[in-house]
Amino acid sequence: MELPAGACWSVLTRADLLPLADHVHGKLMEQYQSDDDHTELHPAREAHQCDVGQQTAEDLVWIQVLSIDQAVMTDTLGPDASRRRNGPSRLDFGADVQGWVWPGRVSLGFRCDNPDSVRMGQPYVAITVRAGELTDPASEKVGRAVLGIALKYAKHVVAGYPCTNAVRLPDGVPATMGSPSDPGR
């Protein structure tokens, strides 16, 4: 297996990708979609998207970073978001982060006061990381790797945009993924 040294805006390392690629053979490469600058993340109305995978269109991991407004934040990532009917658990990344965890996928959001994002009326950042077809999304190892990658991107955005407000993020992936989102189902 051949992993890129640095991928997806040079944030991902081989160590980040290795837990997802146990049984993968061949060369993996990064591909960008809807992104005008492959070198850095910055507040933008269009999603920054990157995936690492093989030429066969099978992905190892897919990442999306997007500036959003408060309505989208509340509707898609807030505590009462309608997504909870689809079986995810609440994400427990601390008081400043809201989100959901599915097997092999995590979506999180937080306020990031950057002059560009505030001027656009989109002071929140949404990050989604999804394990691809080359992984076993039900695996605990894959789930923890996806959570780790999401946290790494959150830290990268907070430092790199930069966010002028304080955003408290955990040092590592939480021991628990959150509570079931809809226990009455």
Side-chain angles (χ1 to χ4, degrees), residues 114-125:
N114 174 283
D116 291 336
S117 61
V118 171
R119 188 173 26 261
M120 290 186 306
Q122 297 179 320
Y124 293 88
V125 174

Side-chain angles (χ1 to χ4, degrees), residues 102-114:
W102 295 259
R105 178 177 156 203
V106 62
S107 291
L108 60 88
F110 54 90
R111 186 169 180 101
C112 177
D113 292 334
N114 174 283

